[in-house]
Amino acid sequence: MPPKVKLVIIWLVVIFLLYSVINDPERSADIVLALWDVIWGAIAAIGTFFEELFTGSIGR
């Protein structure tokens, strides 16, 4: 992707995010909290996987 196109897309995303936050801050906060829950769940699942992998308790 050409650098100028990438820059324009980044600016459009930033402008849209600012518009969304200004237009409806409560919904924006709900979206951020939902994304945080997804990220935290993924990190916890990875941690559980490695913990079980190193302790040898997988499949018991």
Side-chain angles (χ1 to χ4, degrees), residues 1-31:
M1 182 181 315
K4 288 189 178 190
V5 173
K6 189 176 182 180
L7 183 65
V8 168
I9 291 173
I10 290 172
W11 274 107
L12 287 174
V13 168
V14 168
I15 290 169
F16 174 74
L17 290 174
L18 287 174
Y19 168 77
S20 297
V21 169
I22 291 170
N23 194 29
D24 194 359
E26 289 181 14
R27 185 162 184 253
S28 297
D30 291 340
I31 292 171

